[in-house]
Amino acid sequence: MSKSILVTSALPYANGPIHIGHLVEYIQTDIWVRFQKMCGNDCIYICADDAHGTPIMLRAQQEGISPEELIAKVNKEHQQDFSDFLIEFDNYHSTHSEENKKHATTIYSRLKENGHITTKTVTDLFDPKENVFLPDRFVKGECPKCHAKDQYGDNCEVCGATYTPADLINPYSSVSGATPIQKENLHYFFKLNDFKEMLQQWINQENLQPEITNKLKEWFESGLNDWDISRDAPYFGFEIPDAPGKYFYVWLDAPVGYMASLQQYCDRTGKSFESYWNKDSEAEVYHFIGKDIAYFHMLFWPAMLHGANYRIPTAVFCHGFLTVDGAKMSKSRGTFIKARTYLDHLQPEYIRYYFAAKLGPGVNDLDLNLDDFQQRVNSDVVGKLVNIASRCSGFITKKYDSKLTASFNDECTHAFDLAVEKNNQIKTYYEARKYSEAMRVIMALADIANQIIDAHKPWERIKEDQFKTEVHQVCSFGLNMFSLLIGYLKPVLPDLASKSESFLNIEFTWNSLYDGKPMPEDHIINKFKPLITRIEQESIDKMIEDSKMDTTPKASDPINDEITFDDFAKLDFRVAKIIKAEHVEGADKLLQLTLDLGEPTGGVQKNVFAGIKSAYSPEEVEGRLTVVVANLAPRKMRFGMSEGMVLAAGPGDKDIFLLQPDSGAKPGMRVK
C-alpha cells in the first residue's frame, strides 16, 4: 500500500545565489523523494524562497530596485540552478505570496485567540531624525573586534565577528546618519513555554536524530523563553493584524512557506491541502534542514502548529555543513563555489554521486575533497559502472543482432542473484538516508560484475566460434547487472538512468524491475552511446579559478568608478541667482533655494536643496549669484523634489563656500 508523503527542504534566502554548500541539503532530499516515487509512494516535494527581512531590503537598495523586483529575479535564478542540478520540486513558491500571508495570519490569529501571544516593552535603538526604530542591519559603525568601518549591527563582514548594535563603535543610522538612541518599544512574543510538555514528548520520538534530541534537551534545561515575533518598520514582510507598523519577524512566516507552497500546488492540481496539515492527517510530513536551524524547526515550528490546531511534522532530518578540502569554503581560495560556476565546468551528476557516497543519516559535516571527488567519480561511476555497459554492448550489437540471452552460466547466475538479493538492503539504506552504505553495496556488486567479465575476456574469445555462446552469456549478464545497478542508482543519477533506460529499452521502477529475473530472452537493446565522461583536472582548476574573489579589505573611501571626458562634458554649469532661501523644517544641514537661471534659458526656475545651512543663513544668500549644475535629473528627497545642485567647496561646518561667478556674470550664462 502506497503512502502519502509531503517532503520539504529549508527555504533558501532570496538575497543571493545558491552555492554548493546549499546543494548538500537539496540533493539529499531529492534522492530520498525520487526513491519514494520509485517505490510507488505518493510523494510531494515542495519548497520556496524565503523572501522577507532586512537583508533583502538592503540588497534591493544596493541594486537600485524594489524588494519585489529583487526576490522575483532571485527566485528565477534559484529555480534554474535547482533544475540544472536535477533537483525536481513538485512546487516552488515564495514566502512573499498571498498564500503565505493567509496562512501566517491564520496561525497568528489562532495563537492569539488561544492565549499564546503576549506583548512586552523592550529597549530598542531608535533613529531620532527619522523617528523610526532601527533593525540591527540598519545600524552601522566600527567593528569592536577588528575596527573595520561601516559594518552592520549584527556581524562584521571583514573579520566575521558577531555582536549587538550596542557593541559598535561610533554607531550611526544607515537611514539618516544620525546617532541612534535607546528607546522603549512594544514587541509581540510567542509564549513557547506553553508547549513545554508537548515539545518534550515530540523530541523524544524514535525517528528523530539522537544528536539533535540531545541538543534540544540542553535548550529545555536552560529554559524555553518567550520568542520575539515582531519587527518594526522599515521592514519587508507582512504587517501583523491590528498592529500598525509592526511586522512578522521573518522566522515566523518562513516555515509557514511550506504550507503556502503546498497550497499553491493543491490549488493547481486539485489535491487536498487539509489532508496533509489537518490535526487528524494520516499523511507523513518530513522536513530536511541544516543543523543550524534545528531550534526553529523543532521547537518554535511544532509549537506554532500545535497551538494553531494543525498537525506537527512526522520528523525533521538535520544534516551538517559542507567543507572543501577540509576547510570552510573560502572566496579567496576559490572553494566558495556557486552552483552556476560549478555547472559552467562540471556535470551535475558528479556531485550528486559524490554527496551520496558520503552522506549518512547523522549531522556530521561533509567534506568535498576535490582530489577524492575526481578519483571516486571517475573510478566508481565511469570506471566501474558505465564501463560494464560500454565493454559489453558492442559485442551484443555487432555479433548477436542486439539481442540478449536470459541464460547465464552458474557463475553469472550466482552473481546476478546476489545483486537481486541486495534489493531490500539497498532499499532499507535509502529509506534510512544511509546513502553512503547504499553506494558501497552497489559498487561492490559492480566490482563482482567487472571481475567476471575480465575473467572471461569476451574481447579475445569472440574471435573463436567455440566461445560464441559463452560470450553471449557473459555480455548479456554484464548488461543485466548494469541494468540492475543503474536502477538502484536512479534516485542519485536520474539523467544517467534515463539515458540507460533508452539504451536498454526498459524503465526502472523499484516494484516492477527487481523481480529476480533478468531481461527476457531476445530482449533488444539499442546502440550504445557514451553515457557520461570522466572528470578532467582542467575542469576543476577552471572552476576554482572562476570562484576566486579578492577579499582584501577595501579603502574606506575609495575613488568612484572612472568617467570619460564625454561624461564630464555633459554637465551643464550655469550662473543662477538665488531669489529665495528658506530653512527646511526637520533638516539640520539643508536650505531650500529657489534659483533663477535667467533669459538665456527662457526664465527657468529651479528648486534646490543645498547642504549649506551650517555656513549660511537664508538672508546671506538671497540675491547672490552662484553656479548650478542645471541639467541634473530631479531627485525626490524627504522634504521635496530637488532639481539641481549648487556648487560649493570646503572642509565642512562653517567652512563651506558657495562658488561665485566672475563679476559681470548674468543668470543663465554658461560656465566653462
Side-chain angles (χ1 to χ4, degrees), residues 154-410:
D154 54 358
N155 75 284
C156 176
E157 294 185 332
V158 176
C159 72
T162 57
Y163 41 73
T164 67
D167 298 323
L168 285 172
I169 300 169
N170 298 322
Y172 65 91
S173 163
S174 61
V175 179
S176 70
T179 301
I181 62 173
Q182 292 189 340
K183 188 174 181 179
E184 289 188 341
N185 188 22
L186 187 71
H187 278 241
Y188 288 72
F189 289 82
F190 173 51
K191 296 160 70 175
L192 183 63
N193 201 53
D194 287 358
F195 303 92
K196 182 177 180 180
E197 204 170 299
M198 182 276 291
L199 290 171
Q200 285 177 323
Q201 294 177 357
W202 146 253
I203 68 167
N204 284 302
Q205 294 181 90
E206 289 185 1
N207 56 355
L208 296 183
Q209 296 152 301
E211 308 99 311
I212 297 298
T213 297
N214 292 335
K215 186 64 179 176
L216 290 169
K217 288 178 179 177
E218 291 179 18
W219 288 327
F220 276 96
E221 291 170 5
S222 62
L224 298 180
N225 299 320
D226 291 346
W227 178 38
D228 189 345
I229 60 167
S230 68
R231 295 295 185 269
D232 290 86
Y235 199 78
F236 183 60
F238 296 139
E239 199 166 27
I240 298 175
D242 302 321
K246 304 287 184 181
Y247 291 80
F248 288 131
Y249 174 43
V250 62
W251 263 110
L252 183 133
D253 69 63
V256 180
Y258 301 139
M259 303 174 85
S261 188
L262 178 68
Q263 183 72 67
Q264 188 186 53
Y265 173 80
C266 290
D267 291 345
R268 189 180 77 243
T269 62
K271 278 184 172 284
S272 168
F273 173 87
E274 289 74 18
S275 67
Y276 291 94
W277 284 109
N278 270 6
K279 215 169 184 71
D280 58 354
S281 169
E282 295 182 359
E284 298 175 10
V285 176
Y286 297 98
H287 299 309
F288 285 74
I289 63 168
K291 61 184 178 182
D292 56 324
I293 54 175
Y295 192 89
F296 293 99
H297 280 80
M298 302 183 76
L299 292 182
F300 298 135
W301 177 229
M304 285 168 54
L305 290 168
H306 187 75
N309 204 33
Y310 288 109
R311 59 86 50 81
I312 61 176
T314 308
V316 177
F317 301 135
C318 300
H319 61 82
F321 302 131
L322 180 72
T323 57
V324 180
D325 286 340
K328 184 178 178 180
M329 293 191 297
S330 164
K331 293 179 180 179
S332 61
R333 294 197 307 272
T335 57
F336 188 95
I337 303 166
K338 296 176 183 177
R340 187 52 49 185
T341 308
Y342 174 98
L343 290 167
D344 287 341
H345 300 284
L346 295 166
Q347 296 182 39
E349 289 186 305
Y350 295 154
I351 204 163
R352 286 181 67 100
Y353 176 77
Y354 189 75
F355 283 170
K358 303 199 79 173
L359 273 168
V363 296
N364 294 331
D365 292 346
L366 184 154
D367 185 53
L368 170 59
N369 180 290
L370 292 170
D371 290 337
D372 180 55
F373 166 64
Q374 180 183 16
Q375 187 277 330
R376 187 174 298 208
V377 171
N378 288 346
S379 173
D380 288 2
V381 180
V382 182
K384 293 181 181 179
L385 185 65
V386 174
N387 188 47
I388 297 173
S390 64
R391 71 200 307 203
C392 293
S393 58
F395 300 118
I396 296 295
T397 303
K398 295 174 184 176
K399 300 295 182 180
Y400 304 98
D401 297 326
S402 300
K403 295 178 181 179
L404 302 177
T405 179
S407 300
F408 305 153
N409 61 33
D410 290 344

Side-chain angles (χ1 to χ4, degrees), residues 3-33:
K3 296 186 292 184
S4 181
I5 305 171
L6 174 65
V7 180
T8 76
S9 293
L11 312 185
Y13 203 46
N15 73 333
I18 301 299
H19 58 69
I20 58 170
H22 293 129
L23 290 170
V24 172
E25 178 173 311
Y26 301 97
I27 288 173
Q28 180 190 36
T29 316
D30 185 73
I31 290 171
W32 200 77
V33 169

